[in-house]
Amino acid sequence: MKLSLKSIALFALLGGFTSTVLTQEIEEDDEDSPSPKMHPPIPPMNGTYVAPLTPKYDYAEVMHKSYLFYHAQKSGHLPYQRMAWRGDSCKVCVGKFGEDLSRGWYEAANTMKWGLPFGWTVTQLAFNVVVFGDAMKSVDELAEGLELLKWGSDYLVNAHYNDTHVVGQLGTSALGPISKLIELDVDFNYWGPPEEYEQWVPTGLPHEATYITPDNPSSEIIGEYSAAMAAISIAWRPYDAAMADDLVDRAKRLFKLASEHQGSYVSSKANAFQWATFWYPSTHYVDELAWSAAWIYAATKDPEWLDIAKEWYLKATDSFTEYSWDEKGGALHVLLYLFTKEDMFYTNAMEYFNQFLPNPNQIVKYTPRGLAYIEHWGSVGYSGNVAFLMLAMAKALDYKGKEAEQMVTFATQQINYALGDYGYSWVVGFGDNYPSKPYHKSSYNSYIDYPMRGEFQDKVEKDFSESKTAQRFILYGAVEGGPSVDDSWYDDRSNYEYSEVTQDYNSAWTGAIAGLIDYYGVDKFEPYTDCGLDLGWSHPNASAPPSWPADDCYHTCNKGCPRGEMSSSYSWKLLMNPESADSLLDTLYPGKGSERAFTLKGSPIVKQSIQKTHDEKVIAGAPEPVNEHPAKEIEAGDQQNASPSIESPKPIVSSSLGVRLDPTTSLLLGSLMAGLFSAAW
Ligand SMILES: *[C@@H]1O[C@H](CO)[C@@H](O)[C@H](O)[C@H]1NC(C)=O
Ligand SMILES: *[C@@H]1O[C@H](CO)[C@@H](O)[C@H](O)[C@H]1NC(C)=O
Ligand SMILES: *[C@@H]1O[C@H](CO)[C@@H](O)[C@H](O)[C@H]1NC(C)=O
C-alpha cells in the first residue's frame, strides 16, 4: 500500500471529508505507537561526506538480493520456485477477452497491479540493464535481470489486447465511492497469501481487469507501457531480436493511442481508476508521452522519434521535481543526454541534480545523518532513484571531472546510508541489523505457514498489524520505506510509512547498486549466489526445492561456472529454450517436468474459475452471483506446489467485507457487486 502525501492532500480536496480515517491513523501512530522508535542516538554527521575509495559494502550481494525481492512479488504460474514460501498465484487473472494477465509482480503487500507504478517499475528495471548491463553481466546478474524483464513484459504484452483496449489495472483494491466511512476494501482487506486469494475472495470476485480505451483514456499508463516495451527491447535485442522487434512495434502503437486519445486516469469515471487516483495520483501525462517517445528513439535511433520526444519534452514543465513512478522529468534529461549527447539535456540534467548537490541552488533537505529527504514516504527509495540517475550521468562522463565526482559522492552517500552507515540497514536480509517486520503479507502469512488460515480477515489483519512476531520468512532484498526526517524509525508493521516495501522502491535502487559496481570496478566483486541464504526450504511444510544441476552456480553453492558468460544460471537456459521446457523442468522437478511445462503455457487458465463455498451466506444481503458467472472450481493442479502435509486450505469468503457491514451497507455492497458482475462477465 502506498499512501503518498499527495493522496492525503488530494483526499482532502476531493470532498472535504471530515473523517479522513487514514490521515487520523497516521497522526495517531506518531503519538501513540505500540512500539518505541528504535534507533541509537547517534550524533549528526560532521562536515562534508567523503565517499570511500574502496567499496564499503558488497554491492554484488545487494544486487543479488534486490533481484530476489522480485521473486517474492511474482504473480502467476511459476516456472520454478525460488523460495519455499511463494508458489503459484493469480490463478484467475484473465481479462475480458481471455487475456492471460497472471504474470508480472504484485505492487507491495497486496496483490494489485496498478498500471503506472507497475509500468514504471518495468521501464526502470530495463533502464538499469541499458546503462549498467555490463556490470551486471560481470557479476552474473544480467541473466536474472533479463528473466525478470521478460516476466514483466509478458504481462504488458498480454495487457495490450489491441490498439484500443489495454488493461490499465488488474485487481480490485476497493469498491464504491472514495470514502473510508464504509469499508469496501477488497484486496487491501485480504491479509493472507496470494496463493489463496481466489479461495478467500468473497463470492468469487476475481482480479478484475480495468481497460483503457479511447473513451476512458490514460496517456500516462499507456505512455509508460510504451516506454517499458521500448526499453526492454534494447535490453533484450542481443538475445532475442524478434521479441525486441515486436516490443518496438507495440511501443509505437501504444504511443499512438496515448497521444491521439489524451487524458488521465485521474479524471476517469471508472471506479477502479478513482481508487488508483486515491492511492497513486498521477500529476501529468505529458512527461510519459515524452518518456515513451524518448525510449522509442533510444530503441530505434530514428530521428523522427527524437523530434517527437523533444516536442513533448519541451512541454513537460514539471521536469524539475522528484524522479518516481509519477514524475519522469529528471530521467528524461538523463536518458536523452545518454542517447543524443546534446548540450541542452546535459544542462537541464545538471540543473536538476543541483537541487540535491551542495551548491547555491540546493533545495533538498538532508537528515542529520545525510539521507536526502525527498519524500516522507519511501525516503530511501526516492533518494535511490536520484542516485541511479546521477550514476548513469557520471558514467556518461567516464566518472571524470568535478561534476561526476559530486554525483558519485551523492550516490555513495545515499546508498551507503541505506545499507548501514547509520547502524541500520534498510534492506531486508542485508547486514546484521535490518527490518524484522516489513509491511508485507506473504512473508508473514505464507501459504506454507498461515496459522490464522480460516479466521475472519479482521482478526488476521489485527494480528498482522499489531503482533510483535517477526516475519516468518526473510524478504531478502526488499528496500523498506525509510526513516523520518530526524533519522528515526519504527521496525513495525503497523507503522507502514516506515516499513512498507514496494516493487517501485527497489527498481532504480537495483540500478544504483549496479552503478556502484561499475564505478568501483567489477573486479572488486565476486558474483553472489543463493549459497547460505535461508529461502525457507527447511520449513516443515516446505515442498522439495528445485534440484538445480551441477552447472548452475547462481541458485546453489556450486563453484566453477565461467564468470560473466550468462551460463551460471539454469533458469536462463530454461527461459532461452522454451521448446525443451519439458526436459529442462524435469531436471528441476524429477518426474514432473511435462506437467509443469503444460501449466506454464497458461492456456488452461481461461477455463479455470473459483470454487463455490458453503460460507457465502456470511455476506448478508449480497446477491447470488448471476448465472452467467462461470461455474466455480479450482483445478487440483493448483495445489501442486503445496506440500502433501498441507491440508487444502478452507475457502474463506467471510472477509471483513462480510463481518463489518450493517444491513444497509450490505445491501449497498450487494448492489455494487451485482453491478460489478454484470460489467465483468
Ligand atoms: C561530530 O562532532 C561532535 C563534536 O565534535 C562529536 O561529538 C561527534 O561525535 C561527531 N560526529 C561524528 C559522526 O563524527
Ligand atoms: C479491440 O477489441 C474490442 C473488443 O473486441 C473491439 O471493440 C475494438 O474494436 C478492437 N479494436 C481494434 C483496434 O481492433
Ligand atoms: C505449517 O507450519 C506451521 C508452523 O510449523 C503450522 O502452524 C501450520 O499449521 C502448518 N500448516 C499450514 C497449512 O500452514
Side-chain angles (χ1 to χ4, degrees):
M1 185 182 334
K2 150 91 182 182
L3 178 67
S4 67
L5 290 184
K6 280 184 244 167
S7 329
I8 297 175
L10 191 93
F11 193 41
L13 278 176
L14 269 177
F17 297 114
T18 44
S19 57
T20 50
V21 176
L22 281 163
T23 15
Q24 278 173 3
E25 266 173 21
I26 290 157
E27 283 155 11
E28 281 163 17
D29 283 348
D30 280 344
E31 282 151 25
D32 186 23
S33 166
S35 72
K37 286 193 175 182
M38 344 177 358
H39 64 91
I42 293 183
M45 205 176 64
N46 296 326
T48 331
Y49 175 83
V50 180
L53 293 174
T54 52
K56 182 160 174 194
Y57 300 97
D58 183 352
Y59 301 117
E61 176 183 347
V62 183
M63 163 119 254
H64 189 86
K65 290 178 174 172
S66 196
Y67 273 150
L68 188 47
F69 168 66
Y70 286 92
H71 285 268
Q73 298 306 98
K74 254 186 170 186
S75 157
H77 283 272
L78 309 179
Y80 59 91
Q81 274 182 284
R82 183 72 178 280
M83 55 268 277
W85 49 276
R86 279 302 326 279
D88 293 352
S89 66
C90 225
K91 294 162 193 168
V92 192
C93 288
V94 186
K96 241 196 224 177
F97 311 106
E99 315 94 295
D100 175 0
L101 302 171
S102 63
R103 293 194 174 177
W105 315 285
Y106 299 124
E107 187 253 342
N110 53 73
T111 67
M112 293 296 295
K113 291 175 198 162
W114 308 101
L116 192 53
F118 178 81
W120 177 69
T121 300
V122 187
T123 312
Q124 179 57 51
L125 287 168
F127 200 173
N128 298 342
V129 173
V130 169
V131 183
F132 295 117
D134 289 345
M136 290 182 196
K137 192 170 178 186
S138 69
V139 292
D140 289 336
E141 294 293 344
L142 179 59
E144 180 73 6
L146 292 171
E147 186 183 326
L148 186 64
L149 286 180
K150 178 76 167 59
W151 200 257
S153 164
D154 286 349
Y155 175 79
L156 292 176
V157 165
N158 287 358
H160 180 197
Y161 176 62
N162 69 19
D163 291 344
T164 55
H165 287 60
V166 181
V167 177
Q169 183 168 317
L170 188 77
T172 307
S173 70
L175 288 167
I178 309 280
S179 159
K180 297 300 273 188
L181 299 177
I182 320 172
E183 278 282 355
L184 295 175
D185 283 3
V186 177
D187 195 311
F188 286 2
N189 266 353
Y190 172 61
W191 303 88
E195 288 78 1
E196 294 170 23
Y197 184 88
E198 281 84 358
Q199 286 103 311
W200 162 82
V201 78
T203 332
L205 187 67
H207 284 95
E208 177 84 356
T210 310
Y211 288 80
I212 295 159
T213 62
D215 300 331
N216 186 34
S218 168
S219 302
E220 61 273 80
I221 294 178
I222 300 298
E224 189 66 63
Y225 283 9
S226 162
M229 289 180 179
I232 298 168
S233 81
I234 303 174
W236 260 91
R237 184 165 295 284
Y239 306 95
D240 188 340
M243 170 183 162
D245 288 343
D246 176 56
L247 288 171
V248 170
D249 177 55
R250 286 173 182 277
K252 291 177 179 172
R253 283 151 57 200
L254 288 173
F255 178 85
K256 190 164 181 289
L257 173 61
S259 56
E260 287 180 2
H261 301 279
Q262 289 176 36
S264 168
Y265 64 86
V266 167
S267 31
S268 170
K269 295 213 166 39
N271 190 234
F273 285 143
Q274 292 172 349
W275 279 103
T277 302
F278 177 72
W279 295 111
Y280 281 98
S282 158
T283 312
H284 290 286
Y285 59 76
V286 176
D287 51 338
E288 278 83 13
L289 287 172
W291 187 231
S292 157
W295 274 111
I296 296 173
Y297 171 67
T300 60
K301 311 278 162 55
D302 175 349
E304 227 180 281
W305 281 99
L306 181 57
D307 291 344
I308 300 174
K310 282 182 176 170
E311 186 191 323
W312 286 102
Y313 173 80
L314 294 171
K315 287 185 200 161
T317 50
D318 63 331
S319 303
F320 292 93
T321 55
E322 71 188 35
Y323 173 45
S324 68
W325 57 268
D326 180 24
E327 305 274 15
K328 310 296 139 62
L332 274 168
H333 309 314
V334 175
L335 175 65
L336 285 165
Y337 179 70
L338 297 186
F339 282 88
T340 65
K341 298 278 156 41
E342 286 182 25
D343 289 348
M344 166 173 74
F345 302 121
Y346 181 79
T347 308
N348 287 343
M350 288 318 301
E351 197 180 322
Y352 174 77
F353 291 145
N354 280 335
Q355 299 175 110
F356 305 90
L357 297 172
N359 79 94
N361 298 324
Q362 182 182 8
I363 51 169
V364 171
K365 298 271 175 292
Y366 284 63
T367 67
R369 295 291 294 187
L371 180 71
Y373 207 74
I374 295 156
E375 253 267 16
H376 174 57
W377 284 72
S379 47
V380 166
Y382 278 101
S383 87
N385 295 351
V386 179
F388 165 80
L389 291 180
M390 287 201 196
L391 286 170
M393 196 63 170
K395 180 184 169 70
L397 305 176
D398 280 333
Y399 302 114
K400 291 204 178 88
K402 184 165 168 283
E403 284 172 329
E405 191 189 310
Q406 279 191 322
M407 291 190 270
V408 169
T409 301
F410 174 90
T412 315
Q413 179 180 22
Q414 299 309 308
I415 298 300
N416 287 2
Y417 176 102
L419 292 177
D421 274 9
Y422 185 66
Y424 185 67
S425 155
W426 286 93
V427 177
V428 179
F430 183 82
D432 0 295
N433 185 17
Y434 60 78
S436 67
K437 299 181 207 68
Y439 190 91
H440 186 261
K441 293 174 189 170
S442 63
S443 50
Y444 184 72
N445 286 325
S446 160
Y447 81 111
I448 62 164
D449 193 348
Y450 182 18
M452 296 194 75
R453 179 186 287 115
E455 302 278 0
F456 284 122
Q457 288 294 316
D458 304 48
K459 275 181 83 176
V460 184
E461 167 179 14
K462 199 166 151 47
D463 169 71
F464 176 86
S465 302
E466 293 173 15
S467 129
K468 299 290 163 239
T469 309
Q471 234 61 6
R472 298 189 177 97
F473 298 97
I474 305 171
L475 185 62
Y476 283 112
V479 173
E480 258 203 5
S484 281
V485 70
D486 64 354
D487 291 308
S488 67
W489 75 89
Y490 297 91
D491 178 16
D492 194 327
R493 283 181 296 270
S494 61
N495 289 288
Y496 45 79
E497 59 186 299
Y498 304 93
S499 60
E500 186 183 37
V501 301
T502 78
Q503 55 171 354
D504 64 278
Y505 291 174
N506 267 76
S507 59
W509 167 267
T510 311
I513 297 297
L516 289 178
I517 294 175
D518 190 59
Y519 168 71
Y520 280 111
V522 294
D523 53 328
K524 303 272 195 320
F525 303 91
E526 280 301 311
Y528 193 84
T529 77
D530 283 359
C531 191
L533 298 186
D534 179 1
L535 300 177
W537 297 109
S538 61
H539 193 282
N541 297 341
S543 57
S547 37
W548 299 106
D551 62 351
D552 178 296
C553 298
Y554 190 81
H555 305 90
T556 63
C557 295
N558 296 340
K559 298 258 181 259
C561 299
R563 182 175 166 171
E565 291 176 20
M566 307 288 283
S567 59
S568 67
S569 168
Y570 189 78
S571 59
W572 174 248
K573 193 189 272 182
L574 183 61
L575 186 66
M576 294 307 279
N577 297 284
E579 70 290 342
S580 318
D582 287 37
S583 64
L584 291 170
L585 281 168
D586 216 61
T587 301
L588 294 185
Y589 298 97
K592 292 191 186 144
S594 350
E595 187 194 326
R596 292 188 75 98
F598 180 76
T599 318
L600 260 188
K601 290 188 187 105
S603 45
I605 292 175
V606 180
K607 296 264 150 44
Q608 197 179 296
S609 43
I610 311 162
Q611 195 154 29
K612 219 169 171 179
T613 75
H614 54 277
D615 278 349
E616 276 176 1
K617 58 182 180 308
V618 177
I619 302 185
E624 286 293 313
V626 284
N627 287 340
E628 57 267 32
H629 195 61
K632 303 176 187 307
E633 240 169 86
I634 292 256
E635 284 182 7
D638 287 336
Q639 297 302 325
Q640 64 178 357
N641 285 324
S643 110
S645 67
I646 301 181
E647 276 179 62
S648 190
K650 290 205 181 54
I652 311 301
V653 283
S654 49
S655 66
S656 49
L657 276 172
V659 291
R660 284 209 188 138
L661 305 177
D662 62 28
T664 337
T665 23
S666 296
L667 280 176
L668 173 58
L669 174 64
S671 50
L672 277 167
M673 289 179 64
L676 192 106
F677 282 127
S678 54
W681 299 97

